[in-house]
């Protein structure tokens, strides 16, 4: 298959590396001005992977889009709508799009597949690829499980069957709403886990269960299956994030609770704002999400805010565990 991977940062460079190993003809695109592209162009590698010489690295977006049968997108979630305006300037009606990214659009509360649909891409041409695993582990040969989901059953099955390997065991997703919301929400919980690594490590167990429960309530309210919160896209990825030294979101929360700044992208910050919006829209109580939002966007001393939000969670009225 001819595949173009748009975005050559941490995850995008790994996807290009992985799909090339599966025998696909891969283009890897990045904007010429980005450091990620420059490093790969000059050295053929970054701190995560070394690109096979068979992979064509380009900064020409038209070239990358035009030659592909399937287009993988791996960029910051909040930049997707603007990026799609550039993509749809080229003939793409017959191409499949695979989103290897996790997030919810802050301004609208839209899932990323919805952003593509509103950009003119047919839902039958869209799939999402999410789940647990960190690049550092994959390139070390440590296997993991992931999921591909789509409203198009044939597309979903074709991609899973093409992409599976002894490094990644794929599952067929069966709830696009739950898969996307669950994948995005795990980054919010990752920030909470990082803060607890500093303030109260034993609370990471309750965080896992209560966090999954509130995400399940939101998924159900949005029309998905609440069971999706307990699958690979959310709980599986969430558990990996909670204890990983490689997670940007967990590290962001840890440094925030220490009064320090994490300079790399942590998608959970924007996602906490988007989930808060969705909770209000659908009338779903999201106490942990609200706490993460307050910590990320509040004013004053970061350490004090983290402790204050934990105290607020403990002072909430008593409820049935599975309300």
């Amino acid at each position: 298959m001819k595949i173009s991977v748009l975005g050559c940062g941490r995850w995008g460079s790994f996807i290009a590396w992985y799909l090339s190993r599966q025998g696909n003809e891969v283009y890897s695109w990045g904007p010429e001005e980005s450091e990620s592209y420059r490093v790969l162009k000059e050295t053929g590698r970054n701190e995560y992977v070394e690109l096979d010489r068979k992979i064509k690295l380009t900064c020409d977006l038209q070239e990358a889009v035009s030659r592909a049968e399937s287009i993988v997108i791996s960029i910051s979630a909040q930049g997707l709508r603007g990026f799609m305006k550039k993509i749809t300037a080229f003939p793409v009606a017959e191409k499949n799009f695979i989103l290897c990214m996790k997030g919810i659009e802050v301004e609208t509360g839209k899932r990323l597949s919805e952003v593509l649909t509103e950009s003119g891409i047919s839902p039958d041409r869209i799939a999402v690829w999410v789940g647990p695993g960190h690049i550092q582990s994959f390139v070390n040969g440590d296997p993991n499980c992931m999921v591909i989901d789509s409203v198009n059953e044939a597309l979903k099955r074709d991609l899973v069957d093409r992409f599976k390997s002894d490094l990644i065991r794929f599952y067929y997703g069966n709830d696009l709403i739950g898969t996307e919301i669950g994948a995005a929400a795990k980054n919010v919980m990752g920030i909470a886990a990082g803060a607890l690594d500093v303030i109260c490590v034993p609370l990471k167990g309750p965080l896992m269960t209560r966090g999954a429960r509130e995400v399940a309530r939101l998924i159900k309210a949005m029309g998905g299956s609440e069971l999706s919160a307990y699958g690979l896209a959310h709980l599986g990825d969430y558990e990996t994030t909670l204890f990983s030294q490689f997670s940007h979101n967990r590290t962001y929360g840890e440094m925030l609770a220490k009064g320090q700044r994490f300079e790399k992208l942590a998608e959970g910050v924007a996602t906490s704002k988007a989930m808060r919006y969705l909770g209000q829209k659908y009338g779903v109580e999201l106490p942990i999400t609200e706490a993460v939002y307050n910590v990320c966007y509040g004013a004053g001393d970061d350490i004090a805010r983290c402790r204050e939000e934990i105290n607020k969670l403990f002072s909430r009225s008593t409820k049935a565990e599975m309300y």
Side-chain angles (χ1 to χ4, degrees), residues 246-258:
F246 302 127
S247 168
H248 281 189
N249 291 283
R250 195 207 58 77
T251 303
Y252 180 95
E254 178 183 348
M255 293 183 69
L256 194 69
K258 292 178 179 178

Side-chain angles (χ1 to χ4, degrees), residues 7 34 55 92 110 135 146 157 198 204 231 259 263 271 273 275 290 305 309 321:
S34 76
I55 297 172
V92 294
K110 298 287 186 178
I135 296 162
M146 304 187 82
R157 290 186 172 272
V198 177
K204 288 174 75 172
E263 300 300 334
T271 304
K273 188 174 185 179
M275 283 183 62
E290 189 79 26
R305 284 206 314 279
E309 290 303 321
E321 184 183 11

Side-chain angles (χ1 to χ4, degrees), residues 10-316:
R10 181 174 67 153
W11 192 243
S13 61
F14 166 73
I15 293 297
W17 175 87
Y18 176 77
L19 292 177
S20 178
R21 284 186 37 162
Q22 297 305 106
N24 298 287
E25 185 181 327
V26 177
Y27 267 51
S28 175
W29 173 89
E32 187 174 17
E33 66 276 9
S34 76
E35 182 179 359
S36 297
Y37 175 80
R38 179 183 56 78
V39 169
L40 285 173
K41 186 69 174 177
E42 292 176 358
T43 68
R45 60 177 300 124
N46 56 25
E47 60 183 304
Y48 307 107
V49 296
E50 181 173 356
L51 295 185
D52 191 290
R53 292 182 182 274
K54 294 183 296 185
I55 297 172
K56 168 68 174 179
L57 185 65
T58 181
C59 61
D60 186 331
L61 187 58
Q62 182 174 7
E63 178 186 20
V65 170
S66 299
R67 50 81 58 201
E69 300 169 72
S70 293
I71 296 171
V72 176
I73 302 180
S74 180
I75 64 171
S76 169
Q78 303 310 317
L80 181 60
R81 190 178 294 273
F83 188 56
M84 287 306 300
K85 292 179 181 178
K86 299 178 182 179
I87 302 299
T88 53
F90 311 116
V92 294
E94 301 303 314
K95 300 181 186 296
N96 295 321
F97 285 80
I98 306 157
L99 293 169
C100 290
M101 45 199 293
K102 304 163 186 174
I104 302 166
E105 190 174 54
V106 169
E107 298 301 323
T108 64
K110 298 287 186 178
R111 294 177 286 114
L112 300 186
S113 66
E114 292 179 303
V115 173
L116 258 65
T117 300
E118 292 180 358
S119 299
I121 308 301
S122 167
D124 282 337
R125 291 284 183 177
I126 301 170
V128 299
W129 169 355
V130 295
H134 290 288
I135 296 162
Q136 295 90 334
S137 298
F138 280 131
V139 298
N140 193 43
D142 300 327
N144 216 319
C145 301
M146 304 187 82
V147 60
I148 293 178
D149 211 339
S150 173
V151 297
N152 183 337
E153 188 72 19
L155 174 62
K156 171 175 52 184
R157 290 186 172 272
D158 180 60
L159 292 174
V160 166
D161 294 344
R162 284 178 182 270
F163 292 172
K164 65 184 179 181
S165 72
D166 57 359
L167 189 60
I168 302 179
R169 173 178 170 82
F170 284 99
Y171 285 83
Y172 306 117
N174 57 5
D175 174 27
L176 188 59
I177 292 174
T179 296
E180 288 191 271
I181 294 298
K186 76 94 187 176
N187 286 329
V188 177
M189 301 304 161
I191 292 176
L196 292 178
D197 278 335
V198 177
I199 298 172
C200 186
V201 173
L203 280 176
K204 288 174 75 172
L207 171 67
M208 243 190 284
T209 58
R210 299 314 303 159
R213 189 70 201 116
E214 72 175 60
V215 172
R217 293 197 303 269
L218 178 61
I219 290 172
K220 182 179 180 180
M222 294 178 67
S225 168
E226 62 183 312
L227 290 176
S228 294
Y230 308 106
L232 285 170
H234 183 65
L235 191 58
D237 199 358
Y238 178 10
E239 290 176 345
T240 300
T241 294
L242 255 64
F243 300 101
S244 173
Q245 61 178 312
F246 302 127
S247 168
H248 281 189
N249 291 283
R250 195 207 58 77
T251 303
Y252 180 95
E254 178 183 348
M255 293 183 69
L256 194 69
K258 292 178 179 178
Q260 301 171 353
R261 283 286 175 266
F262 182 65
E263 300 300 334
K264 295 181 180 180
L265 176 67
E267 289 279 11
V269 176
T271 304
S272 70
K273 188 174 185 179
M275 283 183 62
R276 182 174 184 264
Y277 167 81
L278 289 174
Q280 294 171 344
K281 177 179 178 179
Y282 289 96
V284 179
E285 204 174 16
L286 304 173
I288 297 174
T289 298
E290 189 79 26
V292 172
Y293 169 82
N294 291 339
V295 166
C296 290
Y297 289 95
D301 181 83
D302 293 338
I303 300 173
R305 284 206 314 279
C306 289
R307 294 186 180 279
E308 179 185 355
E309 290 303 321
I310 291 174
N311 290 336
K312 284 165 63 176
L313 287 170
F314 269 77
S315 65
R316 296 175 69 244

